[in-house]
Amino acid sequence: MYIRIMTMATLLAANMHLSAQDLEKNYKDTSSGNPISGSVFCADPTALDYKGRLYVYGSNDHQEFIKNGKKGSNTYGAIKSIVVFSTDDMVNWTFHGTIDVGKLCSSWGWRFGNSWAPSVTWRTTADGKEEFFLYFANGASNVGVLKANSPLGPWKSPLSKPMIDGDTPGVSPCKWCFDPGVVIDNNGVGWVTFGGGARNENSSKSTNLQPNNACIIKLEDDMIHLDSKAIKIPAPYHFEANEMNIINGKYVYIYCTHFGAHDMWETYDKRGSYSAPGGGVMCYMVGDDPMHPEDWEYKGEFGPHPGTSGNNHSHLHKFQGEYYHIYHSGALLEAMKSAKATNGGDYRSICVNKATVNEETQKINRVTLNNSGVSAIKNLDPYALQQAETMATCGGVMYEDFRNVEPNTKVSSLSNDASENMYVKMKAGAWTMVRNASFGDEGARSFMFRIQGTGKLEIRFRKFDDPVAEMEFSADDWEDKVISVDPAVFKGKRNLYFVFTEAKKVQFDAWNFSHEDASGIVPIRIAEGEPKALFDLNGHRLTDGTPYRGVVIEQYQDASGKMRSRKRVSADPVH
C-alpha cells in the first residue's frame, strides 16, 4: 500500500526569501498575454481545437537559438522540428515539447532538410476514426505531411517523400514551394494552399502585382495524396504565409504580401475600393470555387506587420465562439536583448490578439497587435491536476529546462514526438506563474505537488511578496508531497507563483489543491496488476466508457508499493 509523504506547511506573516536581485528574471511580463510563452522561441503558427483545448503548432526557432549558443542570427537552417502548445483559457499555456520531424522523415534521405510553417487539421471519418494531419514546409523546396491519431501524436510520415514539389503538375513556375495552409471544406474535401516568393524574373507570367506563386491543390480522400493539379490563386503582391479558412461556406484565403514595389495597382481589375496593401502585411481573398481562379475576390489587408520580426505569418482561428489572430513577433527577443541576455536576431515568438469577423460577409476587420494579448475565457481550476509545464510566464526556465523522462533525450533538441512525460527542471531562484486560479469561497485546505530532488518551494500571490505557503522537500524519485494550507488565504481568484528558493536536482512535474485536509486525503490505491488510473490533461479522471485520445496521465503502483505517475500519448480511445 502506498502512503503519501506528508509535509506540513509553515504559513508565515513575514518570511525570509530570495531578494529581488536573486529571483530569476522574466522576459514576458507577468500581466501580459503575449507572447504565449516566456521561454520558447517559435513562429509561423497554426492551430486546431480538440475537446475544449486549442493546440498551437509552430516553427521551432528555439532549436536554432540553442544551436547558435543563444546568440547570432536566425537563419532557420537548424529548424528540423515543430513546437506544440495548448490552452483551454487563452492565458495559461501548456508546453508539449517538439515533434521531431527530421527523425520522422529520416526515410526521405537527402530530400529532407527543414520543417517550417506547419498547418494542421483533423477530422472524424465515416467509421468514427479520428485522424490528424500536419503539413510543413521542407525548406522552400517542397511540402511534406505527417499523420497521427491525436493532436500530440505519435506522429508518422505516411509517405517516404514530399507530398508536393516543383514537379507537381501546375506548380511551375512557383518560386518557393512552401508555407502550406490546409482546410477541409463543408463537403469533407481537403485543400492545401502553398507557394511563395516575389516576382520570378525567369517567368513572363510573373509581375510585381501578380507574382504567380500562390497555389492551391485538391487532396484525395486520404488527405496525403493529390487529387488535382495545382491551380494558381491571383493574389496581388503575394509573398508567403498561406492559410485557408471556410467561413459561411466561402473559401477565405490568407497570405502575406512581398516587400518589393507595389506598383501596377491601377491595372488590377479586382481591386474594388481597396488601396494597394503595404509590404509584409496579411491580406485575404474570398472565393466560391478553388478550382476557378476568376472566382477569387481581393478583400484588403487585415493583419499589420508586427514590426519586431523580419517576416509576417499568421493563422485565423475560431475557438469557443471567438476569432483569434495568431501570429509571431520579436517581443520576447527584444526583451531579452534589452536585458543583455542575448544579442541574437530574428528569433520569433507566437502571439495572439482578438480578430473581428463578420461571418455573413466574411469581412475581417483590421487587427490590433499588442503585448496585452487576449483575456481569459475561463478561470484555471486549481483543484484539477495541473502540469508544471502549464504557465502564463516564468523566470529561469527556458527551452532546455523542459525535460523528458524518456532515456537518452538530447537536451539541445528534446528529440521527442510531442513530448510524453514532460517536466520542468528548476534551479534556485527559478519560478513559474499561472493566472486566474479560482479557489472559490470555500477555499483550499491542502496542496499536492509532484516533485523530485531537494529544495524549498514557496507559493506567492505576487512575484516579490512574502510567501503564503512554503515547504521543504527531499525525494530521490518522483513523489507526491502534500501540505496543509489555510483556506482563509487560498480562496477567491488568484495568480499563483511557484518559487523555488532552494533547489538541488529539482524536477517539477505537476500540482493541485484540494478542499480536503492534508491528513484526510486518501490516495488512489491500485494493487499491482490491476488496471491503472487514467486522467486527461486537465486532471479529470477517465472512467470506463469515456472515449479519449491524446495525452493521458497514468497513475500506477510499483512493485514496492509506491504510487507512481507518468504521461503518455494514447493513440487509441481509452475505455
Side-chain angles (χ1 to χ4, degrees), residues 96-98 152 404 414 416-422 551 567 569:
H96 298 291
T98 63
L152 297 178
N404 186 296
L414 288 182
N416 56 287
D417 183 19
S419 298
E420 303 177 24
N421 292 309
M422 287 290 290
V551 167
K567 292 189 280 290
V569 173

Side-chain angles (χ1 to χ4, degrees), residues 210-228:
Q210 292 289 350
N212 203 30
N213 289 324
C215 305
I216 185 168
I217 203 162
K218 184 180 179 183
L219 300 177
E220 288 189 1
D221 289 343
D222 63 8
M223 297 290 289
I224 63 174
H225 292 94
L226 308 178
D227 195 35
S228 75

